[in-house]
Amino acid sequence: MEDNDSIEDVYEDSVTVQSDPFGSFESFRGYHEEKRQLCRTVVEPAGYDRYVTTSVLLLGEHADCQTTTLAKGVTSKLGSEYTFFEIDSVYNDLMGEEDNIEATLNAARSREPGFVLLTCLDEHGFGEEEYESLRTQIESIQQSHDRVTVVCTAQNQDLDLTTHDSLFEVTIEVPKPGEKFRRGTLNTELERAETAGVIKSTQLDVEALSELDIADLTLQELRTVIKRTVQRRRRASDAEKPTITPSHIQDSIKIVEAERLEESVGSPLFAEDDTDQFEPEIPSVTFDDIGGLRGEKQRLREAVTKPVEYSDTFRQAGYSVGQGILLHGPPGNGKTMLAKAVANDLAYQFLSVKGPELEQPLVGVSEDQLRELFQTAREHAPSVIFFDEFDSLAPSRKTDTPVWKDDLVNTLLSELDGLEPLADVIVMAATNRLNELDDAVLRSGRFDTFIEIPSPSLEEQVEIFAVHIADLPAAEDVTTEWFGSLRLSDLSGADIMAVCRKALEFAVRDFDAGSTQRLVVTRANIQAAVERLRSELQESQWSQGYQ
């Protein structure tokens, strides 16, 4: 670039250049140790003329880690003669492949002393080539003793960063923000609302901050808390600039927590499984998390847990510990969660896949995926493979099935019989259509244990309800006895979970609208949720029949 002064114009969408500091340490609380390290390793050497610190990495493993905030705070400690640059993208949208980093560092060297902040190391486009370019630039700065400090931030220590860690003279690991920073975030957001002219001046003292229950909230959720507080107060107050008290903020905290609980209320029971089929993990679900099904839990322990516990005895007798377990019965009653509980009970890695996910009509693709799944299970043994909607994966070949499905069944049989044994790998499956499975799959030696998971009895419905309502802010009269008196015999376990979730939605709606004084799930909310669920089920059944 011939004219370095034009960098602001050429890269205006991805590079910020200014003479004023980006921020200050005084603008946020906490991080005392990290501030001290930055003062010692960056600010103090800035006065050493040609011997400044050239390259710094602030590394945080979590999105809440305040790497960029700390880096910007450094700028207020540097001299007024500094020019400050921030690069938030590797490439300029308008300039295509032209490298922002090289151009910006050249501009910083021409205007030294300069401070360059790179917040783009986590970008997908920042790879081997970009690291080598950065290394070349930094080594050139060091050799010429230019007064330029490059501070980089990253959330994840990826392979490329690990390979190039020698690039940085100083590396500081930044933890998740402590309580001082998190509570200070509330005051910062209140100041912004005050500056915007939407509330009266409101600052919480240390005592008021300490009384707010924010331990489980992320920084984004804390910002949402203040936003919801401002919205609620402006709706409820006639004043142009309403006041905000700690109790108003605590009410909003309850709303945000409830909304988060609403999103995760299906966990750990009957939740949709979003685990990548080739990324095994030990589930958090235990048998105690599953309401009812006492006999079925005992059968699973006898069929799986005990053989593993006495594996030497079983192997000496010539029996495999990794036998197949088939769970069958109507949908929504806990088959998937029982499989997860087995893996948790044994501390085995869990790999789950739905049968339709392996339905790939392209020749050989489904078979390759299935082989890869079994190979992953062997590599991560001891492990549990769980096939949901098993009838889709192993339909009877006596029916008019596509040829590629027959090939998929043959591959499954080959893996179950295996030239390469399934040592310490337990295969489990679930189906709602037992009579549609291929006979060969059900042969002894492949699946030896069949356990029916029926619809819950009234007693089991009450137990399932108790599991879900325990995590909700329920009214005192919302008891398991009351729920049992409703005689909702047609509800499955999944239906009961959905009722509790919808009841929470109704409770949040009422509280947020100001029609209730407390965020609490009432009997009326539960009954309204039951009616809504049945209405939706009827609409779904009508729609399917219409189609």
Side-chain angles (χ1 to χ4, degrees):
M1 186 177 300
E2 295 180 359
D3 180 10
N4 285 323
D5 289 336
S6 66
I7 187 170
E8 294 95 321
D9 299 324
V10 177
Y11 295 98
E12 62 181 356
D13 62 333
S14 51
V15 177
T16 301
V17 185
Q18 61 188 54
S19 56
D20 294 328
F22 289 129
S24 71
F25 284 157
E26 290 70 29
S27 64
F28 60 94
R29 302 180 182 181
Y31 281 111
H32 299 300
E33 176 57 26
E34 290 71 26
K35 291 176 181 176
R36 186 189 65 79
Q37 291 183 58
L38 285 168
C39 286
R40 180 172 53 84
T41 59
V42 178
V43 177
E44 183 181 322
Y48 298 165
D49 193 24
R50 299 292 169 182
Y51 297 93
V52 300
T53 299
T54 304
S55 57
V56 179
L57 173 65
L58 296 178
L59 181 64
E61 294 296 332
H62 189 275
D64 273 355
C65 297
Q66 298 299 296
T67 52
T68 301
T69 302
L70 283 164
K72 289 185 174 181
V74 172
T75 60
S76 67
K77 300 291 185 180
L78 300 177
S80 59
E81 74 275 20
Y82 267 79
T83 303
F84 303 105
F85 302 78
E86 180 181 3
I87 308 173
D88 60 13
S89 180
V90 182
Y91 297 115
N92 176 268
D93 292 339
L94 298 177
M95 301 297 291
E97 292 297 308
E98 185 165 347
D99 191 341
N100 289 351
I101 297 174
E102 180 177 356
T104 304
L105 290 180
N106 285 337
R109 296 173 72 179
S110 70
R111 306 183 193 182
E112 62 167 335
F115 177 97
V116 181
L117 171 59
L118 271 69
T119 60
C120 54
L121 264 62
D122 290 315
E123 274 193 6
H124 176 71
F126 206 100
E128 182 73 22
E129 183 177 343
E130 286 69 31
Y131 275 113
E132 285 301 330
S133 174
L134 180 59
R135 180 186 297 279
T136 299
Q137 291 291 317
I138 288 179
E139 288 178 349
S140 177
I141 292 171
Q142 292 170 335
Q143 290 170 4
S144 60
H145 296 287
D146 291 328
R147 293 183 63 194
V148 174
T149 297
V150 181
V151 177
C152 302
T153 67
Q155 286 185 9
N156 298 305
Q157 191 165 354
D158 59 18
L159 183 61
D160 287 332
L161 180 56
T162 303
T163 304
H164 295 279
D165 58 356
S166 61
L167 176 63
F168 304 101
E169 295 176 339
V170 176
T171 298
I172 299 176
E173 294 190 4
V174 180
K176 290 175 63 175
E179 284 302 301
K180 286 188 176 181
F181 185 97
R182 289 159 47 75
R183 296 187 186 279
T185 298
L186 294 175
N187 270 337
T188 299
E189 294 302 314
L190 287 171
E191 288 176 0
R192 289 177 179 172
E194 179 189 344
T195 302
V198 295
I199 63 171
K200 287 185 178 179
S201 177
T202 304
Q203 281 290 294
L204 304 181
D205 57 28
V206 175
E207 183 178 355
L209 284 170
S210 64
E211 291 176 355
L212 295 176
D213 185 13
I214 64 171
D216 296 328
L217 299 181
T218 65
L219 291 179
Q220 184 55 50
E221 288 172 332
L222 290 176
R223 297 184 183 102
T224 301
V225 162
I226 300 302
K227 183 176 181 179
R228 297 298 296 274
T229 303
V230 172
Q231 292 170 343
R232 284 168 51 80
R233 289 296 297 143
R234 287 181 66 82
R235 282 200 303 265
S237 175
D238 295 331
E240 182 180 353
K241 295 182 180 181
T243 58
I244 289 179
T245 67
S247 63
H248 295 142
I249 296 174
Q250 188 62 54
D251 285 345
S252 294
I253 289 172
K254 290 179 180 179
I255 291 176
V256 171
E257 288 177 334
E259 289 172 339
R260 180 177 40 162
L261 183 59
E262 171 192 328
E263 296 174 359
S264 61
V265 72
S267 176
L269 188 60
F270 305 123
E272 289 293 325
D273 181 32
D274 59 358
T275 303
D276 190 317
Q277 65 190 50
F278 301 125
E279 289 294 334
E281 65 177 8
I282 299 176
S284 59
V285 182
T286 70
F287 284 119
D288 292 336
D289 294 324
I290 303 173
L293 301 175
R294 290 191 182 88
E296 291 75 12
K297 294 175 190 176
Q298 182 59 32
R299 285 281 289 114
L300 278 170
R301 289 189 174 100
E302 292 172 356
V304 183
T305 307
K306 290 303 179 183
V308 169
E309 184 179 344
Y310 294 92
S311 57
D312 291 341
T313 302
F314 273 76
R315 288 195 176 99
Q316 287 174 5
Y319 297 116
S320 170
V321 174
Q323 63 175 326
I325 312 291
L326 183 65
L327 308 178
H328 61 96
N333 290 310
K335 295 186 288 293
T336 300
M337 304 314 294
L338 284 169
K340 289 184 176 182
V342 167
N344 174 279
D345 201 46
L346 298 172
Y348 276 23
Q349 298 292 329
F350 186 75
L351 297 94
S352 175
V353 61
K354 293 180 182 294
E357 293 174 355
L358 293 177
E359 293 184 358
Q360 301 291 338
L362 294 177
V363 177
V365 175
S366 296
E367 297 93 302
D368 288 343
Q369 288 181 337
L370 189 58
R371 294 188 192 98
E372 182 180 349
L373 177 62
F374 274 89
Q375 184 58 36
T376 301
R378 292 185 181 96
E379 292 172 354
H380 291 82
S383 60
V384 173
I385 297 177
F386 177 66
F387 294 105
D388 200 3
E389 301 181 41
F390 193 47
D391 48 279
S392 176
L393 176 63
S396 174
R397 289 170 292 178
K398 295 178 182 179
T399 60
D400 188 19
T401 57
V403 173
W404 64 268
K405 275 209 169 186
D406 290 347
D407 293 340
L408 186 57
V409 174
N410 290 331
T411 302
L412 175 64
L413 297 176
S414 175
E415 290 294 335
L416 291 173
D417 293 337
L419 293 174
E420 187 176 353
L422 290 173
D424 296 320
V425 177
I426 295 171
V427 180
M428 300 185 68
T431 181
N432 308 328
R433 304 179 179 90
L434 182 62
N435 60 336
E436 295 183 12
L437 293 176
D438 192 90
D439 292 338
V441 175
L442 303 179
R443 181 178 63 77
S444 295
R446 290 166 180 160
F447 283 88
D448 297 332
T449 302
F450 299 79
I451 302 177
E452 182 179 3
I453 310 300
S455 297
S457 65
L458 175 60
E459 180 184 359
E460 289 174 327
Q461 283 183 326
V462 169
E463 289 184 21
I464 295 169
F465 179 75
V467 170
H468 289 294
I469 205 66
D471 291 329
L472 304 183
E476 293 181 0
D477 60 351
V478 178
T479 63
T480 54
E481 292 78 13
W482 169 78
F483 184 78
S485 70
L486 298 179
R487 299 284 176 177
L488 305 172
S489 59
D490 57 330
L491 296 189
S492 68
D495 291 336
I496 295 171
M497 180 274 289
V499 164
C500 291
R501 173 174 179 161
K502 290 179 186 297
L504 179 61
E505 292 175 6
F506 295 151
V508 170
R509 178 200 62 192
D510 295 343
F511 180 63
D512 202 20
S515 58
T516 59
Q517 296 299 314
R518 292 191 303 142
L519 177 55
V520 60
V521 175
T522 65
R523 288 184 176 186
N525 295 144
I526 297 287
Q527 291 169 326
V530 172
E531 292 176 7
R532 174 69 64 83
L533 175 68
R534 284 179 170 161
S535 175
E536 290 175 351
L537 288 174
Q538 289 174 356
E539 289 179 5
S540 175
Q541 292 167 358
W542 179 87
S543 175
Q544 291 173 4
Y546 181 78
Q547 292 173 357

